[in-house]
Amino acid sequence: MAAEMKTNPTTERYTLADLEKWGEIGGDIDPPIRLGVLGDPIAHSLSPHIQNAALRACEIDLQYARFHIRANELRSALLFLRKLDFVGINLTVPHKIAAFTQVDEADESATRAGAVNTIKMESEPCSHRPAAGHASNQSGANWTAHSAVATARGDKKLIGFNTDGEGFLRAIRTEFSIDLRDLRVMIIGAGGGTGRAVAWQCALENCERLVLVNRTLAKASELADKLGPFFTGARVLGPAARLEAIALDETALRAQLPEIDLIVNATPLGMNPSDPTPIPARLIAPHHIVFDCIYGSSKTALLRAAEAAGARGANGLSMLLYQGALSFSFWFNRDAPIETMRAALP
Ligand code: NAP
């Protein structure tokens, strides 16, 4: 694998075994890999496309790569990364929630969601503050000390952020020319790392209505308890409660969907082209707007169902772009070259 990596490093997938001997492997790669995304699966990730375009545009002589890290390998991967000269990483499925317990500090966006999609590695004790415009600037006390993992002397400190919620907010504006605050939103997979971040963003934006749907209902109910204070005022005309948690069950979905504008898929269902829709296609109506956090070359079954129903739909490419731009701004304390990043997308 080492010979291939030298020819085209950022299209390769590295593994935990590669991280373990990164001194041998990474040493030959020029520009050096100092950033990456950890996930399983990971081959589909377009983060290297946008981040490497941004690095080149900003004349930062580093590269960003994919790391295929399984759920049970995350802790070891982060321990190796602490000892390496990395700038930062992104986390994708299935690591966002587990990563929250592994970082040393978390900003407010990560603490709220209990999930991390961006880590910045710091050598010094953290004096860092989030970049301008990030949701965590909204209050003074933004930082949570974790110290869940003991760090050896000289190890990097891991600072966790979550850029998914704000990336989602911007994506909805871009794709549908509408603000979250005007929408009645249903999140499928609300108990997952992405679903939680999206739900918090909906609450912070004071959206009209929020229905949290999860296969494991208890996780959606727990989140609803936390978000309750955001939904106490009456905004919607009619009897529907502004905040509800329901199971991923056709009868419950059927009862909610007439009072919903935006349906969000935050489950991994659709990552494989053969995956079914996360909700029955027959429940989607022309008045719905469907946002699938998944992106890929082919349309997911959910987006095909939306099209067939005459509903508007969009995949997660613009969310990828905006969350990635925010990650870049945390790593380098500067604005990301967003148009260059957009142009790097397929
Ligand atoms: P995660 O933390 O593992 O959460 C998965 C969620 O989906 C959980 O709520 C889980 O329910 C549910 N789920 C999993 N398998 C399911 C199934 N077969 N049927 C029904 N529900 C199921 O994953 P994540 O990191 O949030 O990622 C979710 C998806 O969002 C991934 O496809 C990821 O690529 C995508 N994403 C895209 C972007 C972007 O920039 N476009 C950003 C973030 C995430 P339980 O709680 O019951 O297990």
Side-chain angles (χ1 to χ4, degrees), residues 165-166 168-170 172-173 177-185 187 197-210 235 261-262 264:
E166 201 162 330
F168 167 77
L169 169 73
R170 295 185 192 188
I172 295 300
R173 263 190 212 134
S177 304
I178 194 159
D179 278 333
L180 274 182
R181 69 182 319 278
D182 297 321
L183 294 171
R184 298 169 299 175
V185 185
I187 302 169
V198 165
W200 267 99
Q201 199 68 40
C202 290
L204 290 168
E205 296 300 316
N206 199 13
C207 72
E208 288 277 358
R209 232 191 131 217
L210 184 60
R235 285 190 66 187
D261 307 304
L262 173 66
V264 181

Side-chain angles (χ1 to χ4, degrees), residues 105 107 120-131 137 142-143 157-159 161 330 333:
E105 289 178 18
D107 87 331
K120 178 169 181 166
M121 276 86 171
E122 298 234 348
S123 304
E124 299 295 318
C126 181
S127 59
H128 180 82
R129 286 290 178 274
N137 280 345
N142 291 330
W143 295 84
K157 199 172 197 180
L158 307 185
I159 317 295
F161 303 88
F330 283 126
N333 293 321

